[in-house]
Amino acid sequence: QVGLVESGGDSVQNGGSLRLSCTASRYFYSTDCIAWFRQAPGKEREGVAALYGGDSSTYYGDSVKGRFTISRDNAKHTAYLQMNSLQPQDTAIYYCAVRSAAPYCNLNRAEYHFWGQGTQVTVAS
């Protein structure tokens, strides 16, 4: 089990930056897959970025590659999502998720067991 709490959501202008944080109730294990998903109004929840605890390999959705970076600080049991060059289409609720006992990472939301409550990101045009 792991509890997740997101923070850092805000309203920013087009082209701006934000850093989201996801604080967990325990340290991230080497077999954890830590991910960020987002859901815009009327759309399905989509995978944004994932990081594998074992080797810190990262995975990104096509729409955010080169703009977003996922990272973690195990000492603080916190994961981050640095978002640069934000665009209005990035507006969504952003969720942190963990898949435990994972042999690998991906952005298939059905495989994630634990979710935070979400944090709102709004990008004004």
Side-chain angles (χ1 to χ4, degrees), residues 98-116:
V98 166
R99 175 188 172 191
S100 58
Y104 56 85
C105 250
N106 58 29
L107 291 174
N108 180 356
R109 67 180 186 272
E111 297 185 14
Y112 285 80
H113 311 114
F114 307 105
W115 294 82

Side-chain angles (χ1 to χ4, degrees), residues 24-35:
S25 58
R26 60 156 173 78
Y27 289 104
F28 295 119
Y29 301 146
S30 61
T31 53
D32 281 341
C33 192
I34 309 146

Side-chain angles (χ1 to χ4, degrees), residues 1-92:
Q1 290 277 357
V2 57
L4 302 168
V5 178
E6 302 96 332
S7 61
D10 205 345
S11 296
V12 296
Q13 293 295 314
N14 192 7
S17 297
L18 276 177
R19 188 177 78 160
L20 305 182
S21 299
C22 170
T23 300
S25 58
R26 60 156 173 78
Y27 289 104
F28 295 119
Y29 301 146
S30 61
T31 53
D32 281 341
C33 192
I34 309 146
W36 289 92
F37 290 79
R38 67 185 182 186
Q39 188 165 17
K43 294 189 176 182
E44 290 191 355
R45 192 169 298 189
E46 66 167 338
V48 174
L51 182 150
Y52 188 49
D55 59 6
S56 296
S57 54
T58 55
Y59 309 81
Y60 294 94
D62 288 341
S63 62
V64 306
K65 283 180 182 176
R67 300 189 298 124
F68 290 11
T69 303
I70 187 171
S71 63
R72 63 168 175 171
D73 183 336
N74 245 356
K76 297 180 180 180
H77 39 97
T78 298
Y80 302 98
L81 184 68
Q82 177 67 42
M83 305 186 295
N84 298 327
S85 301
L86 282 162
Q87 304 163 359
Q89 52 264 45
D90 295 316
T91 295

